[in-house]
């Protein structure tokens, strides 16, 4: 898709969606909105150092300098990087780990990497190039419970490459949520006191690997090491701007064991597996308060854009996340995704819908067939007002790897509950964009787009929310249980598509007539495309749920099939979170 107006204000962050009217692609009228203001965040988006001074580290392949001089007792280099060895067993005969052949490394390759060790609290400003090495922050085993065990790692025009392990590793720092448990887990966490902090200045390049699961010797298969991401923290971590980070990962991109809070920065992630992952089951929270994230994940066989094993909360900023087109989601979480502000575009095959009590209006689109990721996505009011525009071909991250998607999650501060919209693909947007996301106030015209329609809807979410039912399911009326045709060379994952609702193997679309995981309502025993009931509601004996209808007094105008049995082009935002299925082009 060709951009018609040169990029303006490229150094500025996109602050949200304003409204312009485009009538017949020529007339422009500016309007304003006070709807859907971002939620108040728990962690400050501005980084304020707790330290009075900084230690300056300059990297090079010949050695490092510390404050212009030699290495010190607390900042020094070594060649003892943690990596997955090329072996099957320990000398004791115990199994070594779970690494596959391509995850093993020779001792010579590992020894060629320089580890820059940081072993004391403080602020460390790092610049220069390390073409084979790692920055490792290790404040000792007692750091976990020590609120003073804090490191601010400031990257300023740094270039770090590691081919055997994470390029940046926070091994031991203070854990601000030291009393975490699955019983007390919640979506809102304050990580401002976390010991692991990454601050971005200038332009930074990081290319990292990972360490597959290594077992402890003589203790069966208990984990000794496992570091999944190119930047990895064993503790909760904060990320701040205002600079940029270009992260390339041979496995996952930005990972933490517990919580991750992104407060700012221009972050681009290209990963073979998940782009971002927080991996403590039932506890971890990924929070995005600001910044600009552009993620293309799953460049290998699988991978979600953002994957939280607990909660995902987006309060602000710009989030563009693309997943592996075969079976993954742009956004994925085990306990719930909440979109409270910002501009969000998530593309994938499955859809992990935002929770119904999210604070910002969200549109979930499930297409009847695969769409090209090179197609612009434009949403307008019925009068032609453009409220959202994103062109992946203008996104430097996604534009390098054109592929397909079947589900799209879109949220913008300009979406208003109770309003109706039109959706278009392709066409030419005339205006200014940052990474393909258009500043709506600059758009002077939009033309040539193909209008979309839909045949099914679940505005009150039904199986949505944590179900994320994909195109193989019976809850979407338009598919009739048939599996869609996949792109050449791609196969349907076993059990069909699905989000974290829990696929069942024996039923239509994977549900098998059973209640989806995470769904609390009643369901008829002979479920065949019937809609579930809200929690606490039951049906009279002998009655079954109605076909795809959860609206009191009938469906609103534009919801699913109209009275003539035709598809609708009006996308009505009944609730904060709205789902539309069977989305396809309007026949000419």
């Amino acid at each position: 898709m060709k951009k018609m107006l040169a990029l303006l204000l490229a150094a500025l962050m996109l602050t949200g969606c304003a409204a312009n009217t485009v009538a017949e692609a020529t007339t422009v009228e500016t309007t304003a909105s006070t709807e859907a203001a971002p939620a108040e965040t728990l962690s400050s988006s501005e980084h304020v150092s707790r330290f009075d001074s900084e230690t300056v580290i300059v990297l090079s392949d010949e050695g490092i300098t510390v404050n212009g001089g030699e290495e010190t007792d607390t900042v020094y280099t070594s060649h003892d990087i943690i990596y997955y060895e090329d072996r099957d067993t320990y000398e004791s005969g115990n199994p070594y780990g779970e690494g596959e052949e391509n995850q093993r490394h020779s001792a010579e390759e590992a020894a060629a990497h320089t580890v820059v060790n940081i072993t004391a609290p403080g602020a460390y400003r790092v610049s220069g190039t390390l073409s084979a090495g790692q920055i490792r922050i290790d404040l000792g085993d007692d750091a976990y419970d020590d609120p003073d065990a804090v490191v601010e790692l400031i990257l300023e025009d740094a270039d770090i490459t590691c081919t055997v392990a994470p390029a940046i590793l926070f091994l031991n720092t203070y854990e601000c949520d030291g009393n975490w448990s699955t019983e007390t887990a919640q979506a809102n966490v304050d990580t401002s006191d976390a010991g692991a902090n990454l601050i971005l200045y200038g332009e930074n390049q990081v290319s990292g690997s990972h360490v597959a699961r290594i077992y402890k010797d003589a203790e069966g298969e208990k984990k000794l090491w496992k570091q999944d991401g190119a930047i990895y923290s064993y503790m909760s971590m904060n990320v701040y701007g205002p600079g940029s980070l270009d992260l390339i990962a041979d496995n996952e991109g930005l990972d933490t064991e517990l919580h991750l809070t992104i407060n700012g920065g221009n972050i681009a992630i290209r990963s073979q597996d998940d782009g971002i992952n927080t991996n403590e089951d039932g506890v971890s929270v990924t929070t995005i308060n600001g910044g600009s994230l552009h993620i293309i994940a799953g460049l290998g066989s699988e991978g979600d854009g953002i994957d939280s094993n607990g909660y995902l909360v987006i309060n602000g900023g710009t989030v563009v996340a693309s997943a592996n087109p075969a079976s993954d989601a742009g956004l994925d979480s085990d306990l719930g995704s909440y979109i409270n502000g910002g501009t969000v575009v998530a593309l994938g095959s499955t859809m992990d819908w935002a929770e119904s009590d999210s604070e910002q209006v969200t549109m979930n689109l499930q297409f009847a067939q695969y769409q090209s990721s090179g197609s612009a996505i434009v949403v307008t009011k019925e009068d032609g007002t453009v409220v959202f525009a994103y062109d992946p071909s203008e996104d430097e991250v996604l534009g390098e790897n054109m592929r397909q998607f079947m589900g799209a999650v879109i949220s913008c501060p300009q979406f208003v509950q109770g309003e109706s919209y039109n959706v278009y693909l392709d066409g030419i947007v005339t205006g200014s964009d940052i990474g393909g996301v258009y500043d709506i106030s600059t758009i002077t015209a939009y033309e040539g787009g193909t209008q979309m329609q839909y045949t099914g809807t679940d505005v009150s979410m039904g199986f949505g929310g944590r179900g994320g039912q994909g195109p193989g399911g019976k809850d979407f009326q338009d598919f009739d249980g048939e599996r869609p045709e996949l792109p050449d060379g791609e196969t349907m994952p076993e059990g069909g598509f699905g989000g974290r609702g829990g696929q069942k193997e024996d039923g239509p679309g994977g549900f098998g007539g059973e209640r989806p995981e995470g769904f609390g309502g009643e369901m008829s025993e002979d479920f065949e495309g019937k809609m579930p009931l809200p929690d606490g509601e039951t049906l009279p004996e002998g009655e079954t749920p109605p076909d795809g209808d959860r609206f009191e007094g009938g469906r609103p105008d534009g919801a699913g099939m109209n009275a003539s049995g035709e598809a609708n082009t009006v996308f009505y935002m009944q609730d904060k979170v709205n789902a539309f299925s069977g989305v396809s082009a309007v026949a000419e």
Side-chain angles (χ1 to χ4, degrees), residues 117-133:
N117 297 276
I118 296 174
T119 62
Y124 298 84
R125 188 173 294 267
V126 179
S127 62
T129 299
L130 187 63
S131 59

Side-chain angles (χ1 to χ4, degrees), residues 128-202:
T129 299
L130 187 63
S131 59
Q134 175 190 79
I135 297 178
R136 182 169 69 199
I137 295 93
D138 185 359
L139 305 190
D141 294 338
D142 296 332
Y144 188 93
D145 297 314
D146 181 0
D148 293 326
V150 175
V151 165
E152 298 171 359
L153 183 66
I154 306 165
L155 299 184
E156 184 173 23
D157 298 322
D159 189 340
I160 306 167
T161 300
C162 186
T163 62
V164 300
I168 297 175
L169 176 64
F170 286 89
L171 187 59
N172 285 298
T173 61
Y174 173 59
E175 176 49 63
C176 59
D177 189 14
N179 296 319
W180 62 266
S181 70
T182 55
E183 289 74 21
T184 60
Q186 58 181 354
N188 294 322
V189 296
D190 184 354
T191 63
S192 56
D193 291 332
N197 298 276
L198 182 66
I199 301 99
L200 306 172
Y201 280 90

